[in-house]
């Protein structure tokens, strides 16, 4: 997917417009905290026209004060709307570019009599068969029935290198909107209009299908509860003040100002922006999450199931050691081995040359161009060179070599068998090396763990996530790789049912399980897992079953998704804490100010030495508004997440957002008060 | 403040800790149905009671069934004592010929004692017959404390259950608690109190001729038996109007120490019981440490403030020294301060001094403790409030560590937060709204003994005491008016039952959830770091909610006193 700039001019100007559109009360009511602010705005607006609307004999100057409160309240609401709009803005821009790929597509649909008719792509139904020629855009999601061709999927993945798609196997699914570059494909459509991957992606990035996640709802409930408490606190203040001082009381605009300062507007304004930005982060990571719930669940994962091959290991067996047999030295073995692999283009062959070079043995290909390269065949199970001088060098499966040597009257060294067994036991693959019919030794081929995996698993352990490796290998091999990669557990000789069983048992223990997969036989497990990450290269059954699709088809991405899920929750928690902690300072600003006429003694509580009651109240209110846009970048980027123990992370975040949240407004309110005083507005 | 005085306070609390640990273990054994050494005495008695009530002790109850039984029993008890109060003037055991109560006072008193509040808008010696004292007051002092206790135990079972709905059996819980805990403990304590000079008699008031030739009516009655359960059951409703300041309720410094220990015993021991239930001693130690630290901090603020005295008196009249107004010399300043702090921390509500006469700062502490309502808190009810705030704290801190919040392996989701928020809302709503109504109505203001800020404190204290089911009075407020009888009555009922119902619903929901095994990513709730966050959440939420009201009350008054102004 095209990476868009975080804040470009176009997105910002549209967001500003949207901030006003969102003032519509029917939209606002979905956010109870900010809705209260909007109601406050309406009331103070009325009080600006008639300061005595609710009784009292306020002088005309009260109007100016009410007006300022009104403006600040409006700005507060607008800031909140702006935060949401800007979070949505990026998605909207992406959706538009995706929509462009979708429009005006035509398809060649096979008719009942075997002919083809050209129809608009939007009329295609599940089960239709279409023909796509090179250079055409694939009209709908489907499975390749016939043909093999390279497909440019950059419209979806942003990756410009074409991928191969063909009938049968795990590479048969194609996505509507991608372009066929070569050959011709017959595709069976697998979705009805409006349900395609592209449609889902568009609605996802636009936030149209964004449902509140369970944690978000729970937090909204708590915030609404706090708002109610503060509503009670502020509503009862007027009677209290009236009791203390029968004639004078607190004016309504000030009470509304206090209410708005106390209710958690900071988190209320940023809550939906945090959610949208979190999903957006996942998308920009080239992972399509089908729901926000899936992303949150990722943050809660207890167990992570990963396939060995291609996920934990590179997937190719590479040479790691040369083991001479009989009377041969390692040096002579290496020479023969490298020679046998000189023109071998397989990863194994190249790794032999590579390892030889590392050990100081290198041959130039040019010197052997007259040699005859014998490629590996399933028949002989060996490969090598027939040199110009008549010498024969081969490497191959040990039993095949053994048979070859015997046939040619050679002898098998005694230590070949035990050394072969040792390699097999350790989980490696032995290759025997011969020159003519003399066995020189063994090449130790090993499944190599991807670099950095060990560290990543250590990180996961720190997050409290258990990793389980699934492999078809025998238990010995599996144990070796598991040990090397540092996974917590492994399942050897695993069948798809084993994965399913593992997921079930873990879930019965109350754990949340994540897994990645791409094959059709992974589909049930992907559906059963709490987080199922399907590879984009996988079958459509797998993609349908998982609740996330990785466009880059990198199974280790689960680790990043876990971090994003956690970050999402942390950001919400941190800003909530900050928001509530802010109230302490606001009380010290507003309470002495609002009681100035009623209980002058309370000026002792004016520990910030704010210039005047009006300035104190406005400073707190302005601070309350300004903090929203200041925190938009944090809401969008998310609080930094580093794997560490839960307790130390709690203390760290409490210190930054809790203690910081208590201190920051003291400084901010005082600073605003100084500015208001300097502008001569302290006594409006 | 003196070193000796401070030591007095700390030693009493140390004794409480020493007794609390084994009692906590005993409460755990009783609540989990384990056999006792006196099984031969208890068991037949219990079996008899099961048969009398007609319940099957092996039936398991889910939260709805448990709650239904609990509420039903409470309703029946309340109706019963209401009738007793309305008719007791015509019933036996009334040697002093006291009249029955008016409807509103009877409602208030019934609500007060059934909710374990023990707010008294009546003066015991002048308005309560011995029959009322014994079969209404003393009876409810047993059952209301037990109700809170079993509610807390049932809730804790919800935490432990792994996809099981049963919270236990209400009848078994409440009967076992009475038979094995309340009655034996109260019996021993009552006998000890009799030995230490408290009266226990059914004879009417004694008319004495004083040396000066005047006639003095000396009230007495079955005091010791009431006094024992009054303290042990965190009830606090005294036999006499002066409560534990009366020499027949609390004659010596020794009895006051015993009474302080008695009222703290079960609320503090319950923390250890909770730890046993959760199989987590560290959790109990952590909670106990923070809560006792709050108690100590509060008590020393009272002690310091009372010892500092009143600067205005010093200024105008040259009187220096501690503020001894309303205090009993036989207890002294430290034990009085300790009593003030603990009676509100444990929401007992007994008083051995007049809280109305405390310095504003000294009066602030009891109000604040009642507003928190979880500094150990009342028997069971306190633990429920602690758990409610633990849920809120875990929710916030769970978000901050990036996991769906879980408490003791149970996920906290929308339903729990909804219910916990409801429970959290009740308290501020009742206290602030009722106080606001009282200070804006003529009838509300007419009952105040003082005007201005101190009068406000009296009203605020009354509704806080009611909502927290504490029952201690600031005094100085004439509560026996239809307005205050009804409003404080409702205050007490809603303060008690709304949160119990909400908490039971949470327990029901938690019980059915699977227990998630702990991993290194789980936020540990038994660390001091978490305890610190818990206290911070409690204090900040409490302060944000009640700060404005406290400013109009004790804080404003203290500032006024410091600035040397007299009340207008």
């Amino acid at each position: 997917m095209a990476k868009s700039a975080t804040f470009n001019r176009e997105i910002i100007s549209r967001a500003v417009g949207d901030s006003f559109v969102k003032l519509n009360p029917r939209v606002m009511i979905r956010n109870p905290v900010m809705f209260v602010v909007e109601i406050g705005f309406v009331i103070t607006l009325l009080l600006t026209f008639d300061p005595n609307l609710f009784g009292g004999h306020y002088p005309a100057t009260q109007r100016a004060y009410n007006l300022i409160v009104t403006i600040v309240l409006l700005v507060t609401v607008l800031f909140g709307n702006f935060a949401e709009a800007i979070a949505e803005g990026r998605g909207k821009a992406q959706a538009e570019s995706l929509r462009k790929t979708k429009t005006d597509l035509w398809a060649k649909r096979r008719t009942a009599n075997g002919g083809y008719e050209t129809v608009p792509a939007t009329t295609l139904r599940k089960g239709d068969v279409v023909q796509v020629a090179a250079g055409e855009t694939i009209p709908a999601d489907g499975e390749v029935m016939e043909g093999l061709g390279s497909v440019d999927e950059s419209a979806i993945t942003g990756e410009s290198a074409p991928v191969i798609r063909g009938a049968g196997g795990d590479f048969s699914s194609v996505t509507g909107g991608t372009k066929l570059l070569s050959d011709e494909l017959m595709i069976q459509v697998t979705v009805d209009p409006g349900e395609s991957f592209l449609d889902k992606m568009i609605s996802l990035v636009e936030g149209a299908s964004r449902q509140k996640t369970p944690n978000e709802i729970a937090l909204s409930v708590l915030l609404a509860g706090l708002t109610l408490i503060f509503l009670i606190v502020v509503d009862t203040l007027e009677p209290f003040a009236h009791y203390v001082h029968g004639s004078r009381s607190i004016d309504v605009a000030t009470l509304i100002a206090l209410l708005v300062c106390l209710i958690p507007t900071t988190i209320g304004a940023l809550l939906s922006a945090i959610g949208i930005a979190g999903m957006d982060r996942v998308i920009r990571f080239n992972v399509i999450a089908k729901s926000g719930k899936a992303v949150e669940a990722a943050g809660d994962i207890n167990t992570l199931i990963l396939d060995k091959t291609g996920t934990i290991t590179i997937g190719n067996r590479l040479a790691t050691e040369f083991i001479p047999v009989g009377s041969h030295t390692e040096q002579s073995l290496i020479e023969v081995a490298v020679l046998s692999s000189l023109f071998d283009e397989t990863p194994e062959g190249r790794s032999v040359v590579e390892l030889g070079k590392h050990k100081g043995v290198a041959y130039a290909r040019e010197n052997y161009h007259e040699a005859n390269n014998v490629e590996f065949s399933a028949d002989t199970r060996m490969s090598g060179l027939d040199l110009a001088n008549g010498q024969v060098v081969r490497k191959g499966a040990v039993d095949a070599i053994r048979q070859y040597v015997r046939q040619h009257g050679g002898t098998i060294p005694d230590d070949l068998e035990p050394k072969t067994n040792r390699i097999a036991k350790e989980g490696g693959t032995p290759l025997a090396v011969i020159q003519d019919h003399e066995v020189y030794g063994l090449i130790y081929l090993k499944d190599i763990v991807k670099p950095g995996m060990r560290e990543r698993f250590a990180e996961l352990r720190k997050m409290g996530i258990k990793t389980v490796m699934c492999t078809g290998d025998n238990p010995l091999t599996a144990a070796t790789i598991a040990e090397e990669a540092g996974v917590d557990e492994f399942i050897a000789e695993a069948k798809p049912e084993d994965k399913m069983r593992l997921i079930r048992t873990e879930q019965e223990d109350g754990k949340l399980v994540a897994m990645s997969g791409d094959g059709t036989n992974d589909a049930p497990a992907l559906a059963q897992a709490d987080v199922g990450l399907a590879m984009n290269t996988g079958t459509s059954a797998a993609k349908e079953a998982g609740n996330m699709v990785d466009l880059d088809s990198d199974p280790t991405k689960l680790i990043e998704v876990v971090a994003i899920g956690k970050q999402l929750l942390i950001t919400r928690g941190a800003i909530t804490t900050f928001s509530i902690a802010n109230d302490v300072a606001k009380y010290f600003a507003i309470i002495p100010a609002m009681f100035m006429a009623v209980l002058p003694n309370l000026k002792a509580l004016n520990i910030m030495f704010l210039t005047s009651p009006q300035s104190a109240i406005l400073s707190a209110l302005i601070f309350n508004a300004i903090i929203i846009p200041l925190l938009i970048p944090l809401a969008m980027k998310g609080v930094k997440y580093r794997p560490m123990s839960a307790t130390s992370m709690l203390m760290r975040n409490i210190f930054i957002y809790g203690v910081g949240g208590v201190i920051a407004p003291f400084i901010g309110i005082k600073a605003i008060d100084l500015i208001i005083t300097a502008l001569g507005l302290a006594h409006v | 403040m003196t070193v000796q005085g401070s030591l007095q306070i700390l030693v009493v609390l140390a004794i409480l800790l020493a007794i609390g640990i084994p009692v906590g273990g005993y409460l755990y054994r009783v609540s989990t149905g384990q056999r006792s050494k006196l099984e031969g005495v208890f068991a037949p008695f219990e079996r008899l009671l099961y048969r009398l009530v007609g319940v099957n002790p092996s039936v398991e109850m889910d939260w709805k069934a448990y709650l239904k039984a609990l509420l039903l029993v409470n309703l029946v008890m309340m109706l019963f004592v209401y009738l007793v109060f309305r008719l007791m003037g015509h019933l036996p055991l009334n040697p002093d010929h006291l009249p029955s109560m008016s409807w509103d006072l009877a409602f208030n008193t019934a609500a007060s004692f059934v909710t374990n509040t023990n707010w008294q808008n009546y003066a015991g010696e002048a308005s309560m017959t011995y029959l009322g004292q014994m079969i209404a007051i003393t009876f409810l002092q047993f059952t209301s404390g037990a109700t809170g206790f079993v509610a807390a135990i049932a809730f804790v079972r919800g935490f432990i259950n792994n996809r099981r709905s049963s919270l236990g059996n209400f009848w078994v819980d409440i009967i076992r608690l009475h038979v094995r805990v309340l009655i034996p403990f109260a019996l021993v304590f009552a006998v000890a109190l009799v030995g230490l000079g408290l009266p226990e008699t059914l004879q009417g008031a004694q008319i004495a001729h004083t040396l000066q030739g005047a006639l003095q009516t000396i009230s007495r009655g079955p005091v010791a038996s009431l006094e024992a359960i009054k303290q042990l059951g965190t009830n606090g409703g005294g036999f006499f109007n002066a409560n534990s300041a009366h020499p027949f309720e609390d004659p010596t410094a020794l009895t006051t120490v015993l009474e302080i220990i008695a009222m703290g015993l079960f609320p503090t021991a319950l923390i250890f019981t909770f730890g046993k239930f959760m199989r987590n001693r560290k959790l109990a130690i952590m909670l106990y440490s923070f809560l006792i630290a709050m108690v100590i901090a509060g008590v020393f603020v009272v002690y310091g403030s009372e010892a500092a005295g009143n600067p205005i008196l010093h200024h105008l009249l040259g009187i220096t020294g501690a503020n001894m107004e309303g205090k009993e010399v036989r207890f002294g300043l430290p034990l009085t301060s300790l009593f003030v702090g603990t009676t509100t921390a444990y929401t007992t509500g007994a008083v051995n001094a007049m809280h109305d006469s405390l310095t504003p700062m000294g009066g602030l502490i009891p109000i604040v403790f009642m507003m928190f309502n979880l500094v150990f808190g009342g028997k069971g009810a306190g633990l429920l409030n602690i758990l409610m705030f633990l849920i809120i704290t875990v929710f916030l801190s769970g978000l901050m560590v990036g996991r769906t919040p879980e408490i003791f392996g149970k996920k906290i989701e929308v339903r729990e937060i909804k219910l916990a928020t409801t429970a959290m809302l009740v308290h501020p709503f009742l206290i602030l709204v009722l106080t606001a109504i009282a200070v804006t109505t003529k009838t509300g203001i007419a009952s105040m003994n003082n005007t201005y800020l101190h009068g406000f404190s009296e009203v605020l204290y009354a509704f806080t005491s009611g909502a927290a089911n504490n029952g201690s009075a600031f005094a100085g407020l004439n509560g026996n008016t239809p307005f205050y009888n009804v409003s404080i009555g409702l205050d007490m009922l809603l303060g008690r039952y709304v949160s119990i119902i909400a908490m039971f619903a949470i327990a029901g929901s938690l019980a059915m959830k699977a227990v998630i095994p702990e991993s290194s990513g789980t936020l540990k709730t038994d660390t001091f770091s978490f305890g610190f966050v818990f206290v911070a959440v409690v204090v900040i939420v409490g302060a944000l909610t009640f700060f404005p009201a406290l400013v109009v009350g004790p804080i404003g008054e203290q500032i006024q006193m410091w600035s040397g102004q007299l009340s207008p």
Side-chain angles (χ1 to χ4, degrees), chain A residues 159-226:
Chain A
E159 170 63 55
S160 53
V163 293
I164 303 294
R165 291 283 185 252
D170 286 350
F171 298 95
S172 63
S173 90
V174 287
T175 313
T178 59
K179 201 170 171 186
L180 184 64
L181 295 176
S182 69
D183 306 283
E184 193 179 86
L185 298 178
M186 292 295 287
I187 295 164
Q188 181 164 37
V189 177
T190 50
V191 291
D192 284 330
E195 295 168 7
S196 74
F197 190 64
L198 206 57
D199 290 319
K200 277 186 198 154
M201 227 169 123
I202 290 169
S203 72
L204 191 81
V205 292
E206 266 188 336
S209 67
R210 202 182 88 85
Q211 286 179 314
K212 280 188 174 181
T213 59
N215 277 321
E216 195 177 345
I217 297 172
L219 181 56
S220 306
V221 169
L222 183 65
L223 294 180
L226 286 172

Side-chain angles (χ1 to χ4, degrees), chain A residues 468-519:
Chain A
V468 182
M469 179 182 86
C470 269
T471 170
D473 291 343
N474 64 53
L476 271 174
T477 315
T480 315
I481 298 288
E483 163 81 15
E484 221 179 289
V487 295
D488 299 307
E489 282 170 27
F490 65 87
I491 303 181
E493 288 163 359
K495 292 179 285 299
E497 309 88 82
D498 292 333
K499 247 186 219 177
M500 194 70 184
R501 198 173 314 127
L502 175 67
I503 294 173
R504 287 243 170 86
T505 42
E506 292 285 302
Q507 283 176 337
E508 264 158 36
D509 288 345
K511 295 181 185 170
L512 262 62
V513 185
M515 70 165 282
S516 58
D518 51 7

